[in-house]
Amino acid sequence: MIEQRFKCPQCGNIASFYGNPGEQMTVICTSCGLKGRLTMPMLSQGNGYAIEVSHLKKVYGDLIAVNDISFAVKTGEVFAFLGPNGAGKTTTVEMIESIRQPTAGSITLLGKDIKNGFNDVKERIGILPQEFHSFERLTVKETLVYFSKLYKKRANVDDIIDALDLTAQQNMLYKNLSGGLKQRVGVAISLVNDPEVIFLDEPTTGLDPEARREVWGVIASLRKKGKTVFLTTHYMEEAEFLADHIAVIFKGKIIAEGSLEDLIRQYGKSSVLHIKNCKNSTEVVSMLQQEGFEDVTTEGNGDIAIKIEHKDRVLEILSHLRHECIEYDSIDIRRSNLEEVFLRLTGSKLTEEAA
Amino acid sequence: MNIQIIGMDFVCSVKAWFRSKGGMFWSLAFPVILILLFGAIFSGVGSTKYTLYVQDKDTTTMSQQFISILLKTGVLDIKNLSADVNITAYIKENNIKSAIVLPKGMSDQINRSFIDPTAKVNLSFYFDPSDQTQTQVIRTIIASVIEQLNKELTSRRDVIGLTDISTITENFNFIDFFLPGMIGFTIMQGAIYGSIERNTKYRKDGILRKLLTTPITRTEWILAKMLFMMFLAAITTILITVIGVLVFGMTVNINLLVIITLIATSFLFSGMGMLIGRFVKEEETADTAAGAISFPMMFLAGTFFPLEQMPGFLQTIAHILPLYYVNEALRNAMIYMNQSDALLNAVVVIAFAVVFFLAGVILTKWKED
């Protein structure tokens, strides 16, 4: 949702209207009642992309940290950059934030080439650096006021405190906050200038599950407000839970990209039926393959995984098992997740890579 | 340049500093404790012997006898000076509190007094009026010895007289020497460690990366921090000076030259801290490195003890240390009232400040590689 101030051509009254970028709407002057059509402006010079990265490369000596990657982040979406530690996530995000100098490639942020236009977009972006710790001996409120005063465009600090549920802690010194609260303050700091694009670099790393959920809630609410969020993470669940669009980065390369559904459809098994501890598993596998189940794998210990294209086929499998008097311990059906996608793409588990 | 941002950052620095007990202790309580401690230890309270330099130009049995009588009083620590020494220059150079000169022809005059009633000899007593208790005691002892001699020699007629010569030289107490050194040292510590924190801890904590993406410029930020350093320097100077005046009854002079030197000192050591933080990236290691640089410098630059007490090669080293010039400038301007020497040293401090601060600003950056 964005705000557009509009001057009535009849009475000269100025009023604010709210709508989505590019939306056409009929408005009525609050003063004289004149009706008119209004088109809300597009963000990012109208092409719908807040961030465009093209052939980006970063080389440190012999190490290619980021290897010729290209992607675009749509205005208003939560874009998750998912990958294990050392994959090049932070290097990439810090190049977009102009903290690091790319070896090659171009970056357009809110329509500006950041090579010489980064200062122009500073007022319109908010970032939370990786492992950020703010000034220890300022209170939460003082910290937010401090950072907000660096900008010309300022959001109301009390509103941010309210929105991030920091009211009870607003007069506590930063150093006395718990890890989860510190991260929440970090996100709050990134909002003090009411930015259009927010960069959150591993905002939940090191947090306990409850604190992580709290931060997720905040990010989800940003999305509702129409903010573009660029999120880096090595947590599958985080990307699954929050992201509209996911780019999987591995060893400096983007190896897969799309919505969660896209990725699962393309690289995962849409649904998988698991048979636990099946007797005569090899025979069962060949039998199922004869019946036309293409993707059947044994996972050792007599466990079998069968990709299910259509839910009717579940009944087919069950009736076969019954007909042949096959013994097994249990059956469950699971939806494929990012973990599997990642496993399939890289041959390694993300969580192991991350640890 | 946005003055409001600079002011706002400054206010936040002061606020945070007031909340940091460690910071307050090291920048205020520590120097105060040192001043009180060193002042008490070295002010000579409770010493029972008084040092008296004696120059015997007569070198006769009679003059030797006179010296042995002085020695027999038991409270004087007699130091003999050879006859060819220029007494006023020697007193000046060695900060001597009291000395007595037995003139040539002393015994002749005393011998003549038995036949010539006008014969008379005057001993010269050089004393430092700033140290009244000590010189007063010594003078009383000498006077009583002379009175006794006069009585014995000539029954009441004053053959031997005593002329007082006040030596208003650079004759200062240890605390006079110590106080400006302590001010310079405290400001140096504050500037180096503050600067290191900003260049290592703030980098690790992502604060520098965060600031890089906000509209504040590095110039504004550095100016704001320097403003805070000036504030610390001012508080330090005022506090230490007030203690010097109230507790030790010192006369301390604060003029423009002192203020300029203090500002230059803040810049100088902030620059040094930036350089340390630039090359030693871990905060703890950088603090250790800062200690390894600042502590030897503190001793070698004549902060606590006069350079003259050190061997020659160490004195040479002192002359390449920036803190030496800070000490000299402050001492000359605040205590010795030798403003031309102060100016000369202040110019060296400013030159050091320009080099270190510029190098610090140029060689450090917010960006990552």
Side-chain angles (χ1 to χ4, degrees):
Chain A
M1 203 71 116
I2 57 166
E3 177 189 6
Q4 170 73 349
R5 287 166 76 76
F6 194 73
K7 189 177 177 182
C8 175
Q10 183 167 293
C11 68
N13 177 47
I14 297 171
S16 290
F17 299 100
Y18 298 88
N20 292 320
E23 186 184 340
Q24 292 233 331
M25 53 204 293
T26 307
V27 294
I28 301 167
C29 175
T30 48
S31 171
C32 67
L34 181 78
K35 262 192 184 175
R37 297 280 296 168
L38 179 68
T39 309
M40 297 305 279
M42 292 298 291
L43 298 173
S44 168
Q45 305 213 328
N47 69 357
Y49 289 105
I51 306 165
E52 290 157 278
V53 170
S54 169
H55 299 290
L56 189 65
K57 197 169 182 179
K58 180 73 187 182
V59 179
Y60 294 102
D62 292 338
L63 175 79
I64 304 172
V66 174
N67 192 356
D68 192 30
I69 63 171
S70 300
F71 60 89
V73 178
K74 276 191 201 133
T75 303
E77 76 178 359
V78 175
F79 183 99
F81 216 46
L82 176 72
N85 287 343
K89 299 188 300 290
T90 296
T91 310
T92 305
V93 73
E94 290 191 346
M95 283 192 282
I96 302 171
E97 292 160 355
S98 219
I99 293 169
R100 290 172 198 272
Q101 189 79 32
T103 310
S106 72
I107 297 164
T108 308
L109 180 55
L110 290 164
K112 302 264 182 192
D113 184 343
I114 63 157
K115 218 173 259 169
N116 20 26
F118 185 72
N119 282 341
D120 301 338
V121 295
K122 277 182 177 176
E123 291 275 348
R124 298 166 66 194
I125 62 167
I127 76 148
L128 170 65
Q130 190 174 23
E131 288 175 19
F132 179 72
H133 280 264
S134 191
F135 306 109
E136 294 191 341
R137 288 186 174 79
L138 293 185
T139 67
V140 170
K141 185 161 183 180
E142 283 166 353
T143 305
L144 293 175
V145 169
Y146 175 93
F147 282 101
S148 82
K149 284 192 172 167
L150 301 181
Y151 294 93
K152 286 194 200 75
K153 193 174 102 197
R154 292 172 201 167
N156 185 316
V157 166
D158 290 320
D159 289 349
I160 294 176
I161 288 174
D162 209 33
L164 273 78
D165 204 13
L166 288 164
T167 316
Q169 294 85 14
Q170 60 175 323
N171 293 320
M172 274 173 76
L173 293 186
Y174 180 83
K175 66 179 183 114
N176 296 334
L177 300 175
S178 68
L181 281 165
K182 278 181 180 159
Q183 280 305 80
R184 231 150 74 196
V185 172
V187 176
I189 292 171
S190 71
L191 301 177
V192 292
N193 56 329
D194 191 23
E196 294 160 42
V197 183
I198 298 146
F199 294 91
L200 305 173
D201 195 357
E202 306 217 356
T204 64
T205 298
L207 298 188
D208 59 59
E210 196 188 342
R212 182 171 300 159
R213 289 266 161 198
E214 285 175 6
V215 174
W216 287 2
V218 172
I219 298 170
S221 73
L222 294 176
R223 185 178 170 276
K224 274 192 201 136
K225 285 180 192 147
K227 308 284 186 197
T228 308
V229 179
F230 189 103
L231 172 76
T232 72
T233 182
H234 60 248
Y235 296 117
M236 294 285 175
E237 321 87 87
E238 192 159 298
E240 280 187 13
F241 185 82
L242 292 169
D244 299 299
H245 194 95
I246 299 166
V248 182
I249 183 166
F250 189 68
K251 293 181 178 166
K253 279 265 186 201
I254 292 181
I255 53 173
E257 207 195 324
S259 67
L260 180 62
E261 302 303 325
D262 290 344
L263 291 176
I264 289 172
R265 200 180 312 125
Q266 208 175 335
Y267 302 101
K269 309 168 182 181
S270 22
S271 286
V272 179
L273 186 143
H274 292 269
I275 307 170
K276 284 265 175 205
N277 203 9
C278 179
K279 297 269 154 58
N280 316 322
S281 58
T282 29
E283 288 166 33
V284 176
V285 168
S286 55
M287 176 191 80
L288 289 170
Q289 277 166 345
Q290 277 168 23
E291 291 297 325
F293 293 95
E294 283 165 12
D295 201 339
V296 183
T297 45
T298 48
E299 294 174 340
N301 317 328
D303 290 359
I304 299 172
I306 309 134
K307 183 176 173 180
I308 308 290
E309 302 291 357
H310 195 274
K311 59 181 184 231
D312 290 351
R313 304 214 71 180
V314 175
L315 287 172
E316 261 181 67
I317 295 171
L318 291 176
S319 65
H320 275 295
L321 293 175
R322 191 172 172 181
H323 189 255
E324 302 289 326
C325 295
I326 306 290
E327 283 178 46
Y328 55 88
D329 282 359
S330 66
I331 280 183
D332 67 76
I333 301 168
R334 264 179 279 160
R335 192 170 171 271
S336 195
N337 61 15
L338 267 182
E339 186 76 52
E340 278 182 43
V341 172
F342 191 81
L343 185 65
R344 187 160 278 219
L345 284 166
T346 65
S348 59
K349 285 197 170 174
L350 182 61
T351 39
E352 282 169 5
E353 284 277 337
Chain B
M1 180 105 52
N2 187 330
I3 302 295
Q4 273 181 319
I5 288 184
I6 295 174
M8 185 270 300
D9 186 281
F10 168 71
V11 170
C12 283
S13 297
V14 174
K15 241 185 227 173
W17 178 73
F18 268 108
R19 287 173 188 158
S20 156
K21 296 196 176 55
M24 291 273 274
F25 177 81
W26 289 108
S27 41
L28 298 183
F30 182 66
V32 167
I33 291 169
L34 268 194
I35 288 272
L36 293 175
L37 213 63
F38 277 71
I41 292 170
F42 292 102
S43 60
V45 178
S47 109
T48 45
K49 285 234 173 184
Y50 300 99
T51 308
L52 176 67
Y53 285 78
V54 178
Q55 187 179 37
D56 182 6
K57 287 186 165 173
D58 196 40
T59 51
T60 55
T61 27
M62 194 165 288
S63 65
Q64 287 299 315
Q65 226 167 357
F66 182 81
I67 295 170
S68 66
I69 296 172
L70 285 177
L71 204 56
K72 271 183 199 148
T73 60
V75 284
L76 291 178
D77 181 13
I78 303 281
K79 295 231 158 97
N80 287 302
L81 292 175
S82 74
D84 53 342
V85 163
N86 179 334
I87 189 77
T88 38
Y90 190 85
I91 285 173
K92 237 183 206 183
E93 271 169 34
N94 297 285
N95 288 357
I96 285 162
K97 304 267 183 234
S98 35
I100 189 164
V101 176
L102 312 180
K104 193 156 181 56
M106 174 180 163
S107 60
D108 288 351
Q109 287 292 325
I110 294 173
N111 287 333
R112 266 185 57 203
S113 71
F114 296 109
I115 46 167
D116 179 358
T118 59
K120 209 169 175 328
V121 61
N122 260 326
L123 311 185
S124 306
F125 178 58
Y126 294 84
F127 70 100
D128 173 5
S130 73
D131 194 342
Q132 294 220 341
T133 38
Q134 192 179 341
T135 52
Q136 218 43 59
V137 170
I138 296 172
R139 196 188 182 284
T140 314
I141 294 165
I142 296 171
S144 66
V145 167
I146 289 174
E147 198 188 313
Q148 195 64 35
L149 271 178
N150 278 337
K151 217 187 267 176
E152 281 173 21
L153 289 170
T154 64
S155 61
R156 295 263 154 143
R157 197 162 64 81
D158 291 348
V159 175
I160 306 169
L162 189 63
T163 313
D164 291 326
I165 301 169
S166 163
T167 51
I168 311 172
T169 57
E170 292 170 9
N171 219 337
F172 296 99
N173 286 325
F174 175 76
I175 192 75
D176 291 312
F177 179 87
F178 184 66
L179 181 131
M182 203 59 220
I183 291 176
F185 173 68
T186 308
I187 293 173
M188 170 179 90
Q189 293 289 87
I192 290 186
Y193 285 101
S195 185
I196 283 181
E197 184 189 17
R198 288 192 289 279
N199 284 283
T200 55
K201 185 176 190 305
Y202 283 12
R203 179 174 300 282
K204 185 181 120 256
D205 286 352
I207 291 177
L208 298 186
R209 277 176 287 155
K210 171 77 196 173
L211 290 171
L212 188 61
T213 65
T214 71
I216 193 174
T217 63
R218 207 164 148 250
T219 315
E220 288 164 349
W221 159 265
I222 289 173
L223 279 178
K225 294 306 166 197
M226 289 318 299
L227 203 62
F228 174 64
M229 280 316 307
M230 312 280 140
F231 163 80
L232 273 193
I235 289 202
T236 309
T237 309
I238 291 167
L239 187 74
I240 293 178
T241 306
V242 163
I243 287 181
V245 171
L246 293 185
V247 179
F248 298 102
M250 297 170 64
T251 319
V252 180
N253 169 49
I254 292 186
N255 56 21
L256 189 64
L257 208 51
V258 173
I259 293 169
I260 290 174
T261 307
L262 293 177
I263 291 175
T265 305
S266 302
F267 275 89
L268 163 55
F269 292 108
S270 292
M272 191 179 281
M274 282 186 208
L275 292 176
I276 295 171
R278 166 73 176 76
F279 295 106
V280 189
K281 307 226 157 143
E282 287 280 317
E283 192 193 6
E284 287 77 15
T285 326
D287 279 353
T288 316
I293 292 170
S294 65
F295 257 75
M297 180 147 70
M298 167 181 89
F299 287 108
L300 291 176
T303 306
F304 294 158
F305 307 101
L307 278 187
E308 290 74 29
Q309 297 180 359
M310 301 198 292
F313 76 98
L314 286 182
Q315 295 193 28
T316 318
I317 292 177
H319 285 79
I320 58 165
L321 298 175
L323 186 63
Y324 167 77
Y325 297 95
V326 173
N327 285 336
E328 287 299 302
L330 290 181
R331 254 173 224 140
N332 278 309
M334 297 178 84
I335 308 288
Y336 303 160
M337 303 294 282
N338 184 346
Q339 300 306 333
S340 58
D341 268 15
L343 179 66
L344 215 65
N345 285 292
V347 168
V348 181
V349 175
I350 291 168
F352 267 117
V354 169
V355 171
F356 273 93
F357 193 72
L358 280 185
V361 170
I362 292 167
L363 291 176
T364 57
K365 54 183 184 166
W366 281 355
K367 286 210 175 208
E368 301 284 329
D369 289 326

